[in-house]
């Protein structure tokens, strides 16, 4: 714990990465909540996006986030065998085993994309994972690969999008 | 343009101590679609909720973001709150700025505030794409089907029936009772199996809410939770159950003798028979394969002598379709075919038998009237060897798993040999002794200490016949030396395995099974009697090897689940389910294969194309079965299947909202 | 059997099938504008059968053209090379075509010639096989009603991943540079998608303006999103026909990314060649409980 606080304090090279975490509702999101309940500090660089199951995360979401300039992405769900929907994370595993290698193949630094199993009881693991990832990404600097400025047609909320 | 109201909660100082809530509210003013933004000390308090409701009306808000604690905590609270103000409850999003912000970033208010702002913006982006959703309802048929009439099925049915619901027991044999009816005594109490089972069988048959369907099989299952349409094949019994009184005249006179399945071939039965004296219903069937009337057209004796005219040679199989709200699978198990252990000489040496044979040999109503006699020469064996783990815990020849019951029934049988034959010697070859159950370890200790059974740790390598003796060679791995025992009889504790047709039946009903064909529970810890298919439950050894107490406990659990389901008039289904855009769906069926709930199927639609009516296949989601995991959405390359409330558009909007703050830097 | 003999037999069989009424249409190839080009042709009349050709440039994968006849009830005969027949199975597995509505005349294939190189040569000059054909492991049709000739010997036994490995050996930045350069060339004509037998959606997400997946902007970022997304969509479903590269006007090495995924699938989930049979699920349509966890 003091290690992590130390890391937060010494992070002073000016660059603060922004990291997106796709967290499944049943395990990792609960694990992140538990980190909060236990007051486990970690760097404020991560933003959690809640999905029902890690198998809801389309690899295209990840590519999209890099396109839009995210510095790192973590997809996290229940441990194999513990999926609330029983088999969801097995599909997650297959899909992202390949996606990770593909991202690597097109030249995305492997530090920028991670998949982890974090259970609802693993508040400390959540803290540890996001702290480590933040430190690693801080070391390699901002992501410029794949990214582009916002194109003219976007899904910004003010343009509504159809809501059926 | 949407009208989103943003409400930032201080949670006393829980959030406000490390997040500048007023600043977050300020940051959101002017953000796309946000027409109102404020902060307040306790948003979940009565005045806080009142403020939200009033603001919804005053500002004509059409959706709401509450930034406070985890949605796992208060999402239901705020959904109710906005519903009270007339909004659809699914037009709410929460930003978790307590557990995932203020509490974990207590020392950097500036960055915690920036993060909170991001989280709220993501929530605004998502809520702007939220659509009103409604729970749907489907009626429930208040009748259950229990497949299998062994102890697990009987107990499940009794428990359901006692709760006031109608329940049918489907049994493929002519009588209910299952394996427990063949067992002599039960461990660890040594009470007689029939004495505790028979009253249950009678209760099941006489219960006003229970209907027995014996000598019948599952033919087809359609529908889903609440409304399964089950077609059952009632096999031709050749006996009219309404006329037959079970007097027994027919099987007394029948000239054809056949090996008795119930007695494992150790005695004969007739071609018209009941499987055992306490059978329920205690009315016979004609075994058409062996009956002379069916084989040669001659005989017909039973029909001639039947005092009630119940014999009907013209009966045919009958298909009956009934609607059930729930199904319980209690189809039980079979015993491992140990003929693969050629070295044990089963089939070759008549005095090498299985544990179940032993049960019949020692049973007072069995072929030897309860006297332990060797099959070969009907003498009383003095030296009896038991071999455990025959097929269990042996991946090369048998099954990898432990069958759980063999340690205890072997101890029981060893005890009974010592009790009945005072001058006997009992040897048990074992790998481990596993006694995890109430009173089990004590029972095992009595077997070795009081009854003096010799336990030898090791496998038997070979059994050979030597005159009228069996020579059992093995190794005592504790002493590290070979042992050889001259035995009169050897009893094999064969593994419990899934029924040969277990997989076929699972496919027919539509739920999953494991590599050993045991039925897969929905969750190994938290949903042990449910299957992935809503409305289908499990009881007993069809789910995995189990002893009687565990089967009965599971039966009770399954019954409670069934009653909870049947107690509802309507089933409420969460609206967060997948939906298919049939315009773009190509009907490739990839989503069908990944759905763990069998909620997706292909259906044919008709449409007009260039002046012609064409039919094509598209995916269709049964929202009563869909649990909203989203596995299908990623499988669909054309994004034709989407998950309500977690749509591609909503998630992309969140990603974009988060990343926009990077671009704006 | 030489090419001319095959061509003669091809025309003869087309005539017979049309005349007998066994089929109402025949899909084959005809001579194109240039000598190094043959293009697909659909014939309905027996007398048109003489338009059919079999030469070094019958690259087009005819299976994909069956999608245009999804809603006709007519029976179609078509000629399939080894790779085309894998595409046929792929389409069957995706439930996009019906076996009963087709009659497959398989052609064991000696390989097509490099049509790009041909553009700078004269007719009759010696030409190497197209790159994709050099590494062909399945020249013989895997599904057919009849074979036009004897089966031929596969040119390769195992997939040659040396081009993929060359990229893997680069640094991350070099890899990015490489792909950035390639994808900047992309004009998003979607020709690669249009010919791909694994791309058989009714409506591709890149044609759905309101889906929000990507914009119409043609820039490196959007092009990369397109390339990677397409690669993921056909992962475990690519039958290595190389049509994508064949039609790409910008000469982007599209198969390189597809082969990378094939290589990883073989490595992670066990050897799998799409389109060899219609049994079972493609690698991303199922899982094993003990799949590797190299980075979780």
């Amino acid at each position: 714990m003091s290690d992590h606080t130390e890391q937060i304090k010494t992070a002073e090279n000016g660059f603060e990465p922004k990291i997106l975490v796709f967290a499944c509702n049943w395990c990792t999101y609960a694990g992140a909540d538990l980190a909060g309940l236990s007051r486990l500090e970690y760097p404020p660089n991560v933003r959690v996006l809640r999905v029902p199951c890690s198998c809801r995360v389309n690899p295209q979401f990840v590519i999209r986030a890099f396109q839009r300039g995210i510095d790192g992405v973590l997809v996290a769900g229940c441990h194999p065998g513990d999926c609330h929907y029983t088999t969801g994370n097995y599909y997650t595993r297959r899909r992202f085993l390949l996606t990770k290698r593909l991202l690597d193949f097109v030249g995305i630094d492997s530090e920028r994309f991670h998949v982890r199993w974090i259970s609802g009881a693993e508040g400390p693991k959540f803290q540890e994972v996001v702290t480590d990832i933040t430190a690693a990404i801080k070391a390699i600097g901002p992501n410029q690969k794949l990214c582009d400025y916002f194109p003219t047609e976007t899904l910004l909320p003010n343009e509504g999008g159809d809501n059926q | 343009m949407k009208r989103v109201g943003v409400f930032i909660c201080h949670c006393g100082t829980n959030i406000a101590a490390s997040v500048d809530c007023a600043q977050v509210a300020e940051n959101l003013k002017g953000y796309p679609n946000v027409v109102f933004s404020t902060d307040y000390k306790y948003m979940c308090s009565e005045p806080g909720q009142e403020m939200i409701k009033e603001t919804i009306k005053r500002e004509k808000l059409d959706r709401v973001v509450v930034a406070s604690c985890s949605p796992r905590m208060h999402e239901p609270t705020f959904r109710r709150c906005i519903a009270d103000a007339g909004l659809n409850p699914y037009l709410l999003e929460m930003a978790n700025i307590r557990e995932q912000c203020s509490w974990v970033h207590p020392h950097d208010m500036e960055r915690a505030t920036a993060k909170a702002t991001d989280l709220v913006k993501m929530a605004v982006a998502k809520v702007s794409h939220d659509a009103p959703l409604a729970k749907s309802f489907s009626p429930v048929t208040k009748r259950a089907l229990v497949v299998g009439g062994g102890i697990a099925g009987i107990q499940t049915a009794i428990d359901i029936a006692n709760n006031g619901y109608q329940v049918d027991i489907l049994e493929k044999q002519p009588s209910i009772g299952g394996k427990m009816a063949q067992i002599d005594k039960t461990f660890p109490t040594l009470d007689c199996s029939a004495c505790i089972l028979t009253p249950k069988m009678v209760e099941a048959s006489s219960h006003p809410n229970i209907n027995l369907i014996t000598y019948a099989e599952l033919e087809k299952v359609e529908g889903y939770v609440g409304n399964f349409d089950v077609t059952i094949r009632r096999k031709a019994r050749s006996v009219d159950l309404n006329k037959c009184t079970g007097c027994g005249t027919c099987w007394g006179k029948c000239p054809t003798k056949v090996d008795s399945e119930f007695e494992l071939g150790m005695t004969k039965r007739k071609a018209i028979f009941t499987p055992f004296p306490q059978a329920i219903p205690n009315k016979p069937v004609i075994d058409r394969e062996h009956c002379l009337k069916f084989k040669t057209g001659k005989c017909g004796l039973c029909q001639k002598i039947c005092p009630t005219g119940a014999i009907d040679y013209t009966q045919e199989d009958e298909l009956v379709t009934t609607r059930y709200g729930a199904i319980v699978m209690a189809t039980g198990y079979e015993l491992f075919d140990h003929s693969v252990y050629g070295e044990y000489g089963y089939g070759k040496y008549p005095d090498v038998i299985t544990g179940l044979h032993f049960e019949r040999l020692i049973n007072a109503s069995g072929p030897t009237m309860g006297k332990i006699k060797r099959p070969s020469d009907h003498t009383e064996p003095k030296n009896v060897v038991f071999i455990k783990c025959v097929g269990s815990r042996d991946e090369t020849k048998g099954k990898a798993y432990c069958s759980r019951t063999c340690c205890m029934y072997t101890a029981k049988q060893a005890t009974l040999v010592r009790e009945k034959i005072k001058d006997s010697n009992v040897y048990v070859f074992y790998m481990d002794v596993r006694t995890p159950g109430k009173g089990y370890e004590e029972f095992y200790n009595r077997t070795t200490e009081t009854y003096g059974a010799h336990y030898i740790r090791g496998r038997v390598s070979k059994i050979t016949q030597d005159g009228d003796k069996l020579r059992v060679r093995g190794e005592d791995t504790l002493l590290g030396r070979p042992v050889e025992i001259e035995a009169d009889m050897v009893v094999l504790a064969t593994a419990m395995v899934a029924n040969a047709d277990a997989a076929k039946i699972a496919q027919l009903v539509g739920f999953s099974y494991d590599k050993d064909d045991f039925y897969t529970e929905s969750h190994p810890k938290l949903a042990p009697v449910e299957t992935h298919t809503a409305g289908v439950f499990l009881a007993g050894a069809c789910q995995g090897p189990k002893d009687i107490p565990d089967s009965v406990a599971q039966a009770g659990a399954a019954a409670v689940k069934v009653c909870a389901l049947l107690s509802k008039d309507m089933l409420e289904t969460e609206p967060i389910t997948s939906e298919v855009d049939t315009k773009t769906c190509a009907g490739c069926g990839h989503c069908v294969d990944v759905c763990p709930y069998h909620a997706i199927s292909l259906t044919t639609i008709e449409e007009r194309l260039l002046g012609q009516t064409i039919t094509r296949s598209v995916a269709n989601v049964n929202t009563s079965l869909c649990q909203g995991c989203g596995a299908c959405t990623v499988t669909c390359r054309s994004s034709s299947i989407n998950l309500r409330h977690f749509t591609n558009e909503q998630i992309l909007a969140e990603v974009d909202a988060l990343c926009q703050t990077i671009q704006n830097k | 059997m030489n090419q001319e003999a095959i061509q003669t037999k091809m025309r003869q069989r087309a005539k017979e099938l049309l005349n007998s009424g066994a089929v109402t249409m025949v899909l084959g190839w005809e001579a194109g504008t240039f000598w190094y080009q043959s293009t697909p042709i659909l014939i309905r009349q027996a007398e048109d059968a003489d338009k059919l050709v079999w030469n070094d440039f019958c690259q087009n994968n005819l299976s994909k053209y069956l999608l245009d006849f999804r809603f006709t009830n007519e029976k179609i005969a078509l000629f399939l090379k080894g790779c085309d027949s894998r595409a046929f199975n792929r389409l069957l597995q995706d439930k996009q075509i019906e076996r009963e509505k087709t009659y497959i005349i398989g052609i064991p294939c000696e390989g097509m010639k490099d049509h790009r190189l041909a553009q700078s040569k004269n007719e009759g000059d010696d030409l190497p096989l197209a790159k994709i054909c050099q590494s062909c492991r399945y020249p013989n049709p895997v599904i057919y009603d009849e074979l036009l000739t004897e089966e031929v010997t596969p040119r390769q036994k195992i997939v040659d991943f040396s081009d993929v490995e060359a990229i893997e050996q680069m640094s991350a930045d070099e890899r990015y540079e490489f792909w950035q350069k390639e994808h900047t060339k992309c004009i998003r004509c979607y020709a690669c998608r249009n010919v791909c037998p694994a791309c058989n959606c009714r409506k591709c997400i890149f044609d759905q303006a309101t889906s929000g997946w990507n914009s119409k902007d043609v820039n490196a970022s959007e092009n990369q999103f397109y390339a990677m997304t397409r690669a993921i969509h056909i992962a475990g479903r690519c039958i290595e026909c190389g049509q994508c590269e064949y039609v790409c006007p910008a000469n982007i090495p599209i198969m390189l990314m597809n082969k990378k995924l094939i290589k990883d699938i073989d490595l992670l989930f066990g050897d799998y060649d799409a389109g060899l049979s219609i049994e079972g699920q493609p690698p991303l349509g199922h899982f094993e409980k003990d799949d590797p966890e190299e980075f979780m």
Side-chain angles (χ1 to χ4, degrees):
Chain A
M1 160 105 187
S2 61
D3 276 2
H4 294 300
T5 321
E6 207 56 35
Q7 278 181 28
I8 295 164
K9 283 186 182 153
T10 54
E12 280 166 11
N13 63 359
F15 165 59
E16 289 298 345
K18 204 163 268 194
I19 296 160
L20 172 61
V21 179
F22 288 99
C24 86
N25 181 53
W26 306 96
C27 285
T28 307
Y29 198 90
D33 278 357
L34 179 63
L37 287 161
S38 324
R39 306 299 196 277
L40 304 176
E41 284 182 54
Y42 53 82
N45 301 65
V46 294
R47 313 282 186 263
V48 171
L49 193 160
R50 185 164 69 128
V51 285
C53 175
S54 59
C55 73
R56 175 63 190 93
V57 184
N58 196 317
Q60 290 155 223
F61 295 148
V62 177
I63 306 173
R64 169 65 158 258
F66 283 122
Q67 266 187 293
R68 296 294 191 260
I70 203 81
D71 296 303
V73 178
L74 166 66
V75 175
C78 311
H79 288 267
D82 290 347
C83 177
H84 179 77
Y85 307 99
T86 322
T87 55
N89 49 4
Y90 291 120
Y91 290 108
T92 309
R93 185 163 64 185
R94 283 219 159 182
R95 290 165 185 164
F96 284 104
L97 275 165
L98 284 181
T99 305
K100 169 93 179 166
R101 283 165 166 259
L102 182 65
L103 285 167
D104 189 58
F105 193 63
V106 299
I108 308 298
D109 298 286
S110 58
E111 290 298 345
R112 295 200 190 276
F113 177 68
H114 300 273
V115 182
R116 288 286 184 282
W117 309 132
I118 302 173
S119 80
E122 292 177 325
K125 183 172 179 187
F126 183 85
Q127 175 199 36
E128 187 190 312
V129 166
V130 297
T131 304
D132 291 352
I133 290 176
T134 306
I137 293 175
K138 202 174 274 197
I140 57 173
N143 171 43
Q144 286 165 344
K145 289 173 180 170
L146 289 184
C147 68
D148 206 339
Y149 298 109
F150 264 113
T152 43
E153 305 167 37
T154 66
L155 264 186
L156 278 187
N158 56 341
E159 299 184 15
D162 54 344
N163 230 332
Q164 66 250 219
Chain B
M1 177 76 182
K2 306 295 188 307
R3 297 186 64 82
V4 179
V6 174
F7 299 87
I8 317 289
C9 178
H10 293 205
C11 195
T13 56
N14 276 308
I15 296 170
S18 43
V19 169
D20 184 343
C21 296
Q23 185 61 51
V24 175
E26 193 58 34
N27 291 347
L28 265 294
K29 282 181 182 155
Y31 191 71
N33 288 340
V34 174
V35 295
F36 180 85
S37 177
T38 192
D39 58 307
Y40 186 74
K41 209 166 173 63
Y42 286 108
M43 215 51 92
C44 62
S45 68
E46 198 56 40
Q49 293 196 46
E50 273 313 307
M51 181 190 66
I52 294 174
K53 289 178 203 169
E54 278 165 26
T55 314
I56 289 171
K57 286 170 187 153
R58 189 182 68 242
E59 302 288 336
K60 298 186 171 54
L61 301 179
D62 59 10
R63 46 206 76 207
V64 168
V65 168
V66 177
S68 59
C69 51
S70 172
R72 293 168 58 85
M73 175 93 189
H74 270 316
E75 195 169 57
T77 311
F78 291 114
R79 275 189 181 159
R80 267 196 309 274
C81 168
I82 74 162
D84 284 349
L87 288 186
N88 182 284
Y90 292 90
L91 297 175
L92 168 87
E93 288 299 329
M94 291 185 70
N96 183 343
I97 61 168
R98 191 179 74 173
E99 283 86 343
Q100 297 185 9
C101 192
S102 67
W103 278 352
V104 287
H105 314 308
H107 300 114
D108 191 342
M109 187 178 256
E110 192 189 330
R111 293 182 61 208
T113 304
K115 172 170 171 176
T117 304
D118 274 1
L119 293 174
V120 179
K121 284 180 175 172
M122 287 166 76
V124 170
K126 174 153 192 283
V127 85
S128 300
H129 287 270
D130 280 356
L133 300 174
K135 293 186 169 170
S136 59
F137 298 88
S138 59
V140 178
T141 303
K142 293 176 183 285
R143 184 180 199 94
L145 173 68
V146 175
V147 184
I151 182 59
I154 292 171
Q155 188 62 50
T156 309
I158 291 173
D159 287 347
I160 295 171
N162 283 342
N163 275 281
Y165 299 107
Q166 291 291 316
V167 49
D168 291 357
I169 297 177
L170 171 64
E171 170 58 51
K172 69 179 169 190
Q173 299 296 335
S175 167
I176 59 170
K179 290 276 189 299
M180 189 173 168
Q182 288 174 281
I183 294 170
D184 178 51
K185 292 200 165 47
T186 57
F187 59 78
T189 47
L190 291 184
D191 43 357
C192 133
S193 186
C195 309
I196 55 176
L197 175 67
T198 318
K200 293 262 181 206
M201 291 166 63
V202 172
E203 189 181 350
S205 70
S206 57
H207 201 295
N209 289 343
I210 298 178
N211 173 38
L212 298 184
I213 308 169
T214 53
Y215 207 48
E217 285 172 2
L218 272 185
E219 184 79 11
K220 191 166 75 178
V221 178
E222 289 178 321
Y224 52 89
V225 57
N227 294 289
F228 292 103
D229 288 319
V230 181
T231 305
I232 290 167
R233 174 180 294 273
R234 288 168 178 265
K235 288 182 283 186
R237 209 175 175 110
S238 316
V239 173
D240 185 335
L241 284 181
N242 294 323
K243 292 183 185 161
C244 174
T245 60
C247 67
T249 314
C250 53
W251 69 78
K253 293 278 190 248
C254 174
T256 309
K257 286 186 175 176
V258 184
D259 279 349
S260 160
E261 293 85 359
F262 186 82
E263 299 293 357
L264 303 164
M266 291 187 286
T267 55
K268 302 284 182 190
R269 62 158 170 87
K270 298 295 182 64
I272 185 165
F273 72 109
T274 60
F276 53 101
Q278 305 89 337
I280 287 181
N282 201 9
K283 296 176 182 178
V285 296
I286 293 181
D287 167 5
R288 292 188 172 184
E289 197 190 330
H290 295 101
C291 170
L292 282 178
K293 175 75 184 169
F294 284 93
K295 277 170 75 178
T296 64
K298 301 200 177 91
C299 189
L301 187 59
C302 51
Q303 193 174 45
K304 283 183 208 118
I305 59 162
C306 177
T308 61
I311 310 294
D312 177 2
Y313 300 123
T314 63
Q315 254 187 19
E316 283 178 10
D317 287 6
E318 197 185 346
L319 294 179
V320 187
T321 303
T322 314
R323 181 166 283 194
Y324 299 97
I327 300 174
V328 180
M329 301 305 296
T331 48
Y333 66 99
E334 283 175 6
L335 289 172
F336 178 74
D337 173 14
H338 51 274
S339 59
V340 298
Y341 289 88
E343 65 270 32
Y344 294 165
Y346 180 78
K348 202 161 55 174
Y349 311 140
D351 296 329
V352 178
I353 62 170
T354 72
L356 196 59
H357 283 91
F358 183 87
E359 294 291 337
R360 295 315 304 154
L361 278 183
I362 201 163
N363 187 279
S365 58
T368 56
M369 300 301 176
K371 298 259 183 318
I372 306 177
K373 290 178 184 168
R374 315 206 301 171
S376 60
D377 55 8
H378 304 285
T379 58
E380 193 175 66
K382 297 295 175 202
N383 288 347
V384 181
V385 169
F386 290 88
I387 304 176
K388 295 208 285 187
C389 291
V390 179
S392 306
R393 305 174 68 201
D394 182 356
E395 252 176 303
T396 48
K397 282 186 171 172
K399 301 291 183 180
Y401 56 79
C402 163
S403 289
R404 293 188 60 198
T405 56
C406 330
C407 282
M408 286 308 296
Y409 78 65
T410 302
K412 174 195 75 180
Q413 292 172 348
T415 298
L416 293 175
V417 171
R418 289 284 299 129
E419 207 174 62
K420 293 214 172 186
I421 309 168
K422 295 297 174 202
D423 56 346
S424 63
N425 290 303
V426 168
Y427 304 90
V428 180
F429 282 90
Y430 71 101
M431 287 163 68
D432 293 289
V433 177
R434 295 179 169 179
T435 57
K438 195 170 172 179
Y440 289 9
E441 179 70 9
E442 296 89 321
F443 185 93
Y444 160 64
N445 286 336
R446 271 201 306 280
T447 306
T448 53
E449 289 159 15
T450 314
Y451 289 93
H454 306 291
Y455 270 62
I456 303 163
R457 191 176 193 282
R459 279 227 187 251
V460 168
S461 56
K462 188 85 184 157
I463 300 174
T464 48
Q465 185 90 47
D466 186 359
D468 66 346
K469 301 282 183 191
L470 292 161
R471 206 162 284 284
V472 180
R473 290 197 192 86
E475 197 194 356
D476 186 329
T477 55
L478 291 182
L479 298 175
R481 66 176 191 210
V483 279
E484 189 174 307
I485 294 161
E486 201 181 70
D488 299 306
M489 188 163 85
V490 175
V491 183
L492 308 178
T494 46
M496 288 169 86
V497 298
N499 287 332
D501 61 356
K504 200 185 92 201
I505 289 177
Q507 287 164 6
L508 195 146
V509 182
F511 58 90
S512 43
Y513 49 93
D514 65 21
K515 63 175 178 15
D516 295 311
D517 290 354
F518 284 118
Y519 296 161
T520 309
E521 64 281 5
S522 174
H523 193 285
K525 292 131 208 161
L526 303 177
V529 297
E530 290 93 329
T531 65
H532 300 309
T533 305
V536 178
F537 305 94
L538 304 174
C542 62
Q543 182 256 352
K546 244 174 232 79
D547 59 15
I548 295 166
D550 284 1
S551 295
V552 170
Q554 210 188 14
V560 168
K561 302 282 176 187
V562 168
C563 293
L565 177 60
L566 300 189
S567 70
K568 293 178 182 139
D569 294 324
M570 292 293 228
L571 278 186
E572 189 183 274
T573 47
E574 261 298 318
I576 302 177
T577 53
S578 289
E579 61 180 336
V580 176
D581 181 351
T582 54
K583 287 198 301 297
T584 55
C585 174
C588 72
H590 287 223
C591 53
V592 175
D593 299 324
V594 301
C595 178
Y597 304 102
H598 307 286
I600 312 177
S601 56
L602 290 178
T603 177
T604 304
I605 56 166
E606 275 192 359
E607 61 184 22
R608 298 289 289 172
L609 179 79
L610 303 172
Q612 283 186 318
T613 301
I614 56 136
T615 57
R616 64 184 179 89
S617 196
V618 293
N620 181 48
V621 178
N622 183 331
T623 52
S624 300
L625 299 179
C626 175
Q627 302 292 308
C629 66
C632 52
T633 61
V634 183
T635 307
C636 185
R637 302 179 299 283
S638 60
S639 293
S640 300
I641 192 161
N642 220 337
L643 179 61
R644 291 187 184 96
H645 210 59
F646 291 96
T647 64
N648 293 325
E649 295 76 12
Q650 287 167 332
I651 295 171
L652 284 174
E654 285 183 89
V655 171
D656 282 0
L658 169 61
C659 296
Q660 193 188 29
T661 61
I662 306 169
Q663 307 277 342
N664 288 349
K665 254 186 197 158
Chain C
M1 205 185 278
N2 66 22
Q3 277 183 354
E4 209 173 310
I6 294 173
Q7 182 174 293
T8 308
K9 203 168 169 197
M10 186 180 223
R11 291 174 178 177
Q12 179 200 332
R13 284 302 289 138
K15 270 179 211 161
E16 286 165 3
L17 285 165
L18 285 168
N19 281 334
S20 72
V23 302
T24 53
M25 293 183 264
V26 175
L27 259 173
W29 301 272
E30 67 173 337
T33 315
F34 305 103
W35 62 271
Y36 50 79
Q37 185 189 56
S38 301
T39 51
I41 180 178
L42 177 80
I43 58 172
R44 287 178 170 279
Q45 310 297 333
E47 57 264 33
D48 289 337
D50 289 335
K51 290 182 184 168
L52 294 171
V53 299
W54 175 250
N55 56 33
D56 290 335
F57 302 101
C58 294
Q59 262 100 347
N60 297 74
N61 187 334
L62 300 181
S63 291
K64 174 89 186 210
Y65 291 83
L66 288 173
L67 294 187
D68 294 341
F69 303 98
R70 260 188 275 217
F71 302 115
T72 60
N73 287 318
E74 296 174 75
K75 189 153 179 170
I76 306 175
L78 75 168
F79 296 95
L80 297 183
K81 309 185 292 287
C83 51
D84 307 350
S85 71
R86 288 176 68 189
F88 189 93
N89 272 338
R90 190 79 281 289
L91 292 169
L92 275 181
Q93 210 172 11
D94 283 346
K95 303 181 179 66
Q96 298 303 304
I97 55 175
E98 291 166 57
R99 182 68 181 92
E100 308 75 52
K101 277 164 57 179
T102 53
Y103 185 84
I104 304 173
I105 306 162
I107 309 182
C109 173
E110 301 278 6
M112 295 293 131
K113 295 283 164 69
D114 187 331
H115 79 294
R116 283 187 211 275
L117 199 63
Q119 293 170 27
S120 57
K121 301 259 186 170
N122 293 315
E123 192 165 359
D125 288 355
D126 258 0
L127 280 169
L129 285 183
K131 209 171 98 210
I132 196 82
C133 296
Q134 288 173 23
S135 57
C136 180
R137 292 175 299 145
Y138 298 100
N140 298 308
V142 294
I143 178 172
Y144 54 81
D145 294 297
E146 63 176 86
L147 279 186
L148 222 44
T149 69
E150 294 289 299
E151 295 203 339
V152 299
T153 315
R155 286 174 285 284
Q156 293 290 338
K157 283 208 175 65
I158 50 164
V159 200
D160 176 13
F161 288 121
S162 54
D163 47 353
V164 175
E165 281 154 6
I167 305 286
E168 286 172 343
Q169 263 134 43
M170 296 177 180
S171 72
D173 286 347
E174 285 167 348
R175 283 196 294 272
Y176 188 71
E177 283 308 309
F178 172 85
W179 285 111
Q180 181 79 354
K181 212 173 114 225
E182 293 296 343
H183 289 142
T184 309
K185 296 192 297 191
C186 173
I187 57 169
R188 297 266 290 290
C189 64
Y190 298 137
C192 51
R193 176 200 67 189
N194 295 347
V195 293
C196 178
C199 274
N200 49 41
C201 289
R202 247 174 96 76
K203 185 119 181 153
C204 174
I205 57 164
F206 293 99
D207 288 341
Q208 297 177 32
T210 57
S211 75
W213 281 116
N214 80 339
S215 78
K216 295 261 180 236
D217 292 13
V218 178
N219 58 40
S221 173
E222 294 292 338
N223 295 353
Q224 278 162 326
F225 180 86
Y226 169 69
M228 292 170 73
T229 299
R230 207 182 82 84
I232 293 170
H233 282 189
I234 66 170
R237 307 168 63 252
C238 170
I239 50 93
E240 303 160 83
C241 62
Q243 291 284 296
C244 46
E245 268 188 31
Y246 172 67
V247 298
C248 180
N251 211 359
I252 298 168
I254 303 171
M255 274 307 291
L256 197 53
M257 209 179 264
N258 298 341
K259 276 174 74 179
K260 165 66 178 167
L261 285 160
I262 291 170
K263 178 171 180 264
D264 288 346
I265 285 170
D266 285 355
L267 193 77
L268 294 165
F269 313 131
D271 286 348
Y272 182 79
D273 289 329
L276 290 190
S277 113
I278 59 166
E279 299 303 316
Q281 303 296 328
L284 288 180
H286 72 112
F287 61 84
E288 295 294 335
K289 285 187 175 168
D290 55 355
D291 277 336
E293 294 211 350
E294 56 185 10
F295 57 82
M296 275 85 180

